[in-house]
Amino acid sequence: MTQEMKTRMASSQGSVFANAVSAFISRFPQFNSPAFVVFPGFCDVHVHFREPGFSYKETIFSGSRAAARGGYTAVCTMPNLNPVPDSIESLNAQLNLIEKDACIHVYPYGAITRGEKGEELADLAAMADKVCGFSDDGRGVQSRDMMKNAMLEAKRLGKLIVAHCEDNSLLHGGYIHQGSYAKAHGHRGICSESEWGQIARDLDLVRETGCSYHVCHISTKESVDLIRKAKAEGLDVTCETGPHYLVMDDSFLAEDGRFKMNPPIRDKSDREALVEGLLDGTIDMIATDHAPHSAEEKGKGLEKSAFGVVGIETAFPILYTCLVKPGILSMEKLVEVLCENPRKRFHLPLGTDFSIWDLDAQYEIDPKDFLSMGKASPFTGWNVFGKCMGTVCHGKLVYEAK
């Protein structure tokens, strides 16, 4: 094993972790190269593996292997499924698939409300011991009273509320950011307040209830400011953003469904605020919001394509190439937001999971190479550095580059 690998391991996880990697390398000498670096297994707290209910988009089998290819050994799966995991019976349908097909650690969310309809609380107590938190991701909880009741119950159970913040009354049929591209090309826009307005409401409820609260995929400068102030106030709040919000703005858009996600890619000033929030600790973690769809669903242009893009196989190369190599973000900070912070916040163990990378490998992102069933990536054609050579989870080699 190279000295660089040993140094990285010692600084991140200590001797037990280093010994586990050393033992693995002794069995698989193809990974013992001066060009390779070892990282602790990444953790993504926001993915959509689409099963049960939508296995034509993705499955636990394909999604977990795509995650392993991206260096991830733990993911948290969102509950917009069929059946929605809003009771122990419906949750068990997903847990059975995870036990059978996952090659990495997969932790499901339970829904906040029945059917994610916002009308009645799900059976949070029955699911609490088997979920990583509660979310209605894909839909904002529109009722203040419903969210308050959910927070009170989640606090009683010692679980996180993980909020997709979106005020439906402000959407007006929009599907990309209400900015220069939408105006120039005649598209209906989504205003920033539809996100940050609901965050502000929820932060008021956190003050009232004392709930532990996490905000999904923030995309606006106002959201960053609200969360920064809430943390300074001492509220128990964390948040995430996605790679695409950190390295793209709406000037990157084109008339293609692979640029359509929710929330949308926003203005340059929003992107700059997100990077600043990542650097100063306002943004705790990076999550991909990996959201695969069929080619037909993503082939209808910006207006009519389904919301959602894939990203779990490209997250590290994009972030390393666009933020670390130019000196914007340190490698230590990147490991912190991809591995350490999500595990701490969601109380997920690391153990001795790791991935091995060739940081000098340079290539063009091509969705044909993806293990995910979804191929709609906003980064298609981007030239990046950093290739995952292998991923180890449960002490097993769950991915090896060909």
Side-chain angles (χ1 to χ4, degrees):
M1 190 187 319
T2 67
Q3 183 60 42
E4 185 179 9
M5 294 170 79
K6 291 179 181 178
T7 301
R8 179 73 66 194
M9 290 184 296
S11 64
S12 61
Q13 297 299 320
S15 60
V16 173
F17 185 82
N19 290 340
V21 177
S22 296
F24 175 83
I25 297 295
S26 69
R27 291 163 41 218
F28 296 92
Q30 68 267 36
F31 294 112
N32 192 9
S33 166
F36 295 171
V37 175
V38 172
F39 295 108
F42 303 146
C43 177
D44 191 339
V45 301
H46 193 139
V47 303
H48 301 264
F49 281 178
R50 305 301 193 194
E51 201 175 30
F54 306 97
S55 57
Y56 70 95
K57 301 174 188 273
E58 189 81 289
T59 64
I60 299 293
F61 183 93
S62 64
S64 65
R65 281 151 183 81
R69 182 173 182 262
Y72 289 86
T73 60
V75 297
C76 301
T77 53
M78 287 299 178
N80 46 348
L81 303 168
N82 186 18
V84 172
D86 54 14
S87 68
I88 193 63
E89 292 78 17
S90 54
L91 176 63
N92 280 336
Q94 186 183 7
L95 290 171
N96 291 338
L97 288 166
I98 291 169
E99 183 177 4
K100 178 171 69 79
D101 290 337
C103 69
I104 63 169
H105 304 280
V106 177
Y107 304 96
Y109 284 97
I112 294 174
T113 64
R114 296 277 186 185
E116 290 193 316
K117 296 179 179 179
E119 299 170 355
E120 179 186 359
L121 274 186
D123 192 352
L124 308 190
M127 296 186 289
D129 290 343
K130 296 187 177 182
V131 297
C132 58
F134 298 109
S135 181
D136 270 5
D137 185 63
R139 303 179 182 181
V141 176
Q142 301 303 301
S143 165
R144 180 186 179 93
D145 288 342
M146 181 63 65
M147 182 56 94
K148 179 180 177 180
N149 290 338
M151 287 185 176
L152 289 170
E153 180 68 352
K155 181 185 179 184
R156 185 182 73 83
L157 296 168
K159 305 297 289 190
L160 278 168
I161 288 290
V162 179
H164 172 116
C165 289
E166 185 173 37
D167 184 339
N168 292 350
S169 70
L170 299 176
L171 297 180
H172 307 300
Y175 44 87
I176 62 171
H177 175 58
Q178 189 179 75
S180 56
Y181 188 93
K183 183 177 181 181
H185 294 83
H187 291 296
R188 294 188 299 278
I190 299 174
C191 69
S192 295
E193 188 179 355
S194 64
E195 174 181 302
W196 65 257
Q198 199 164 91
I199 292 175
R201 179 205 71 180
D202 284 359
L203 291 174
D204 282 341
L205 291 173
V206 172
R207 292 184 186 96
E208 188 174 345
T209 64
C211 173
S212 297
Y213 177 73
H214 178 81
V215 191
C216 295
H217 46 45
I218 68 169
S219 67
T220 77
K221 54 183 176 290
E222 294 90 350
S223 300
V224 176
D225 187 55
L226 282 165
I227 293 165
R228 181 180 289 119
K229 291 175 179 176
K231 288 188 170 189
E233 185 182 335
L235 298 185
D236 186 6
V237 57
T238 53
C239 69
E240 70 196 45
T241 195
H244 37 288
Y245 304 119
L246 292 165
V247 303
M248 303 179 78
D249 55 59
D250 65 350
S251 69
F252 286 69
L253 294 178
E255 297 298 302
D256 191 318
R258 67 189 178 91
F259 294 100
K260 184 178 181 182
M261 70 285 290
N262 189 24
I265 298 167
R266 298 196 185 270
D267 186 76
K268 179 182 178 182
S269 62
D270 295 299
R271 177 179 60 79
E272 291 172 344
L274 291 167
V275 172
E276 181 181 353
L278 187 68
L279 293 174
D280 71 16
T282 301
I283 296 173
D284 303 88
M285 61 199 76
I286 297 174
T288 66
D289 194 5
H290 176 79
H293 293 286
S294 69
E296 180 182 0
E297 290 169 323
K298 292 301 290 181
K300 301 177 181 179
L302 284 176
E303 180 179 359
K304 296 184 179 180
S305 289
F307 284 107
V309 297
V310 296
I312 204 162
E313 294 173 74
T314 58
F316 180 86
I318 286 291
L319 296 164
Y320 175 66
T321 302
C322 298
L323 297 181
V324 176
K325 283 184 72 67
I328 298 169
L329 189 71
S330 71
M331 183 67 86
E332 290 71 24
K333 183 68 172 180
L334 183 57
V335 172
E336 179 185 313
V337 298
L338 285 180
C339 175
E340 297 168 9
N341 288 353
R343 292 178 187 277
K344 288 177 183 177
R345 181 56 163 167
F346 284 76
H347 306 292
L348 306 177
L350 172 62
T352 55
D353 297 343
F354 61 91
S355 57
I356 302 171
W357 291 78
D358 182 351
L359 297 183
D360 295 327
Q362 186 176 7
Y363 57 97
E364 184 178 289
I365 291 175
D366 185 347
K368 292 179 182 177
D369 299 330
F370 292 170
L371 297 184
S372 172
M373 293 167 61
K375 309 299 180 184
S377 167
F379 303 119
T380 297
W382 284 38
N383 195 272
V384 294
F385 290 86
K387 181 178 181 180
C388 184
M389 305 307 296
T391 300
V392 175
C393 185
H394 308 287
K396 299 178 180 179
L397 182 64
V398 293
Y399 172 75
E400 181 177 4
K402 304 302 182 184

